[in-house]
Each structure stands twice: as C-alpha cells, then as structure tokens.
C-alpha cells in the first residue's frame, strides 16, 4: 500500500491526501480489512502521510503480507509580497496585505510607523511570529529624510515588503 503525497502553500488549513493505492496483489473479495491515509499538516514543513490498516481479526492479519510506503505531505511558506505585477501575483501569494504609512509633520514627538499586516480574510498576523519589522533609522522624531520600513515574512510566511515615509519640516 502506498499513500498519496501532496504539496500546497500555507493557508491556515490542514493538508491531507486520502489516496491509498494497492500497488501489487489485492485483497480477497469481502475481506474485512480497512485502510486509510491519516497524515495531516497545517503549518510549514513536511510529514509522512501515514496509513492506518485495520484487520477484522488476527487471523485475517496473518493472511496478508502488507508493506506500507508513506507519501509525504508538504506545506510551503506563503509569501507576503504579491510580486511586481499585482494582476499576476506570485503563485505562493494568498492575499496578505501590508498597510501604507503616511508622512508625518515634525512636532517634536516620535512618529515610528508600525505596520498592520493581515491575511486575505483580514485577520491580523503577529509580529515576531509571522513577520519581523526593521527600520532604516532609529530617529523617528526629527527630519532625517526617507525612513524605509522592511517587513519580512517569518514562520509560515516568507518574502519581504518595503514601505517608506518621512517626517517633514
């Protein structure tokens, strides 16, 4: 018996593949043997697509010589960057949105923009778990020119998005 393999881009739902093929031989008519692929994976990574074989009795089990070859289930990271052409996004892009900052006028207070990053359903992604943020400066109070903010996917996400803003006189 061989279980199926499958690959998909992370979308928060479980990946399964119920396919089980008997590659040589067969079960005798009306044999009380059941089998099912039971592997599942949701987050980025790979796992075996295990097969559960159940026999009606120990005698039934003794009648068969079963070798199980497991397939592999793989979830790859989803990119946070749709790519250069929004009408033809990267195949690993599934609708993650990063908002855009506005320029701030100098007023003597800090204006460190913090991005809002959401999935296609509008659910907030978590900084430190799903993405990291870095800034081109640590001065968010004074007029220093463009501030570049880089948002980098992490964990179940990959890719990079940059946004810019400035503190104006």
């Amino acid at each position: 018996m061989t279980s199926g393999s499958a690959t998909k881009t992370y979308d928060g739902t479980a990946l399964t593949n119920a396919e089980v093929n008997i590659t040589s031989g067969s079960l005798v008519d009306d044999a009380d043997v059941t089998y099912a692929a039971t592997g599942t994976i949701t987050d980025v990574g790979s796992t075996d697509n295990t097969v559960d074989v159940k026999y009606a009795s120990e005698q039934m089990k003794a009648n068969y010589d079963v070798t199980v070859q497991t397939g592999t289930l793989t979830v790859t990271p989803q990119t946070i960057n749709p790519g250069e052409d929004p009408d033809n996004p990267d195949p690993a892009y599934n609708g993650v949105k990063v908002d855009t900052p506005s320029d701030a006028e100098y007023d003597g207070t800090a204006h460190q923009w913090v991005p809002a990053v959401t999935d296609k359903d509008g659910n907030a992604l978590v900084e430190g778990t799903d993405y990291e943020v870095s800034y081109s400066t640590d001065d968010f109070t004074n007029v220093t020119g463009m501030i570049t903010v880089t948002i980098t996917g992490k964990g179940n996400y990959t890719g990079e998005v940059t946004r810019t803003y400035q503190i104006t006189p």
Side-chain angles (χ1 to χ4, degrees), residues 16-18 25 35-36 42 44 55 93 122 150 158 166:
T16 61
N17 184 335
Y35 52 90
T42 301
V44 169
Y55 302 89
Y93 177 74
T150 304
T158 189
Q166 61 185 331

Side-chain angles (χ1 to χ4, degrees), residues 83-131:
E84 305 233 349
D85 182 0
D87 293 329
N88 188 22
D90 183 312
Y93 177 74
N94 198 17
V96 172
K97 303 284 184 222
V98 179
D99 68 336
T100 302
S102 298
D103 291 346
E105 188 173 292
Y106 172 80
D107 62 6
T109 62
H111 294 279
Q112 181 176 3
W113 175 70
V114 177
V117 183
T118 57
D119 67 14
K120 67 180 171 109
D121 297 322
N123 300 311
L125 299 187
V126 178
E127 183 178 354
T129 300
D130 300 320
Y131 65 93

Side-chain angles (χ1 to χ4, degrees), residues 132-156:
E132 297 286 343
V133 179
S134 61
Y135 299 88
S136 63
T137 185
D138 57 4
D139 183 351
F140 303 102
T141 304
N142 298 299
V143 177
T144 59
M146 278 296 174
I147 299 171
T148 300
V149 183
T150 304
I151 302 94
T152 305
K154 180 179 178 184
N156 290 319

Side-chain angles (χ1 to χ4, degrees), residues 7-13 74-79 91-94 156:
T7 301
K8 77 171 189 172
T9 300
Y10 173 79
D11 65 3
T13 63
T74 302
V75 176
T76 59
Q78 179 185 153
T79 184
Y93 177 74
N94 198 17
N156 290 319

